[in-house]
């Protein structure tokens, strides 16, 4: 597999008002968030992909987390319907952008009452695991699976209880390697993978991304970094401290396809 394109969106000043489950971490520092975002883009660009950098959408504080607005497969792009009310409007702009990459008959939509956020979708080859979460409901999953099957792909639901999105806690880094943390460590769905167990104190570090043989690992998670290096990957660490304050990680910040 190879990714050719990455789409990101520069955070706006309103990123300080992003939704958070951990207000005790404080609000993101805007200049630092911008610097970390630039570093993230540099890291991605070094992996041989074309990076499209979209302009900030000030009216949507969480709009830098583009991953939640679409799921891109090798056969189609699926525009989501975020479960968070303040994020629903983010999809319009992404639908426009994706018209530049996909013909109209390969752009699909999740529609209300179905909700789905891309952070709940983990691609493993032609199979897509979908978290049933506070943001993604059963109706959204049913629509998603039926879209996949129309495009020759398949998927399955993974109920979750503790984390925001599926990929908050489990991430596939290709070659059958799966980073797992918390509630996903012993899940039967993932028994067939080479599971790399992320210790609870580094749980945030489970959200790594594979891009063409390189794995981006958040900065400050040494156990995860070592485990990924030991698997033989090229590793780039990227500091995402400001995005973590509003529950965002490495995967949320881009669409990779
Ligand atoms: C939210 O709560 O929607 C944002 N503050 C964080 C979104 C993180 N996205 C992701 O994990 N895919």
């Amino acid at each position: 597999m190879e990714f050719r394109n990455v789409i990101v969106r520069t955070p706006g000043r309103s990123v300080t008002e992003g939704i958070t489950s951990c207000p005790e971490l404080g609000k993101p520092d805007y200049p630092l968030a911008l610097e970390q975002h630039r570093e993230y883009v540099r890291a991605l660009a070094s992996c041989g992909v074309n990076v499209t950098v979209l302009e900030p959408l000030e009216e949507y504080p969480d709009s830098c987390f583009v991953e939640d607005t679409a799921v891109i497969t090798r056969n189609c792009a699926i525009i989501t319907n975020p479960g968070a009310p303040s994020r629903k409007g983010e999809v319009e702009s992404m639908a426009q952008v994706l018209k530049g990459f996909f013909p109209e008959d390969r752009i699909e939509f999740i529609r209300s009452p179905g909700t789905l956020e891309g952070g709940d979708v983990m691609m493993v080859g032609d199979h897509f695991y979908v978290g049933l979460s506070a943001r993604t409901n059963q109706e959204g999953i049913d629509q998603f699976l039926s879209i996949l099957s129309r495009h020759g792909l398949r998927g399955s639901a993974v109920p979750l209880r503790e984390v925001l999105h599926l990929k908050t806690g489990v991430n596939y880094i290709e070659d059958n390697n799966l980073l797992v943390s918390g509630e996903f460590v012993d899940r039967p769905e993932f028994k067939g993978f080479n599971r790399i167990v992320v210790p609870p104190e580094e749980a945030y570090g489970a959200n790594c991304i594979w891009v063409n043989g390189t794995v981006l690992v958040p900065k400050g998670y040494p156990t995860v970094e070592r485990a990924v290096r030991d698997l033989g990957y090229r590793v780039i660490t990227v500091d995402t401290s400001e995005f973590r304050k509003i529950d965002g990680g490495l995967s949320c910040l881009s669409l990779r396809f």
Side-chain angles (χ1 to χ4, degrees):
M1 201 202 26
E2 191 188 357
F3 291 129
R4 297 203 176 134
N5 296 293
V6 168
I7 298 175
V8 301
R9 185 183 295 285
T10 304
R13 290 186 183 281
S14 61
V15 71
T16 54
E17 307 309 318
I19 306 169
T20 183
S21 65
C22 39
E24 65 279 9
L25 295 179
K27 289 183 188 270
D29 176 284
Y30 180 58
L32 186 52
L34 277 182
E35 180 48 38
Q36 291 180 349
H37 196 263
R38 281 193 285 266
E39 197 58 45
Y40 178 70
V41 169
R42 275 194 286 274
L44 290 167
S46 81
C47 299
V49 288
N50 292 317
V51 185
T52 300
V53 182
L54 306 176
E55 292 295 311
L57 289 179
E58 284 296 349
E59 61 276 44
Y60 298 106
D62 288 298
S63 56
C64 59
F65 302 120
V66 285
E67 174 178 71
D68 294 319
T69 62
V71 176
I72 305 191
T73 76
R74 65 182 173 84
N75 296 341
C76 61
I78 302 163
I79 309 297
T80 67
N81 181 23
S86 67
R87 301 200 58 190
K88 287 193 188 294
E90 293 175 27
V91 299
E92 277 165 37
S93 144
M94 188 53 74
Q96 288 304 324
V97 171
L98 290 176
K99 282 184 190 163
F101 292 89
F102 290 86
E104 298 238 1
D105 63 345
R106 289 184 183 258
I107 301 183
E108 304 274 3
F109 294 84
I110 302 295
R111 303 193 192 271
S112 290
T115 66
L116 186 135
E117 295 190 1
D120 273 319
V121 178
M122 181 174 75
M123 178 174 78
V124 178
D126 282 351
H127 190 98
F128 293 75
Y129 292 91
V130 197
L132 177 62
S133 71
R135 301 286 182 86
T136 296
N137 64 17
Q138 188 61 51
E139 168 65 23
I141 294 178
D142 292 346
Q143 289 180 26
F144 183 72
L145 298 181
S146 114
I147 292 167
L148 289 179
S149 87
R150 272 190 274 123
H151 290 273
L153 304 165
R154 57 185 187 276
S156 54
V158 182
L160 48 114
R161 293 174 305 276
E162 290 164 15
V163 289
L164 174 64
H165 288 127
L166 179 67
K167 282 187 289 191
T168 311
V170 52
N171 286 272
Y172 187 58
I173 53 171
E174 301 299 317
D175 313 304
N176 205 43
N177 296 320
L178 192 72
L179 291 163
V180 287
S181 70
E183 63 186 296
F184 303 109
V185 169
D186 291 317
R187 292 292 286 265
E189 294 94 323
F190 302 129
K191 283 268 190 289
F193 291 96
N194 175 36
R195 282 165 294 157
I196 298 101
V197 177
V198 174
E201 66 279 12
E202 289 191 27
Y204 176 84
N207 187 245
C208 294
I209 52 174
W210 177 97
V211 186
N212 301 342
T214 297
V215 177
L216 272 57
V217 177
K219 195 171 178 183
Y221 300 86
T223 313
V224 177
E225 184 184 338
R226 200 172 322 115
V228 174
R229 282 191 197 280
D230 287 350
L231 289 168
Y233 295 104
R234 171 183 180 238
V235 168
I236 305 179
T237 58
V238 180
D239 194 349
T240 52
S241 66
E242 301 316 291
F243 300 99
R244 178 174 177 236
K245 291 174 179 173
I246 51 171
D247 299 331
L250 285 170
S251 78
C252 331
L253 287 167
S254 60
L255 286 168
R256 304 159 297 279
F257 57 103

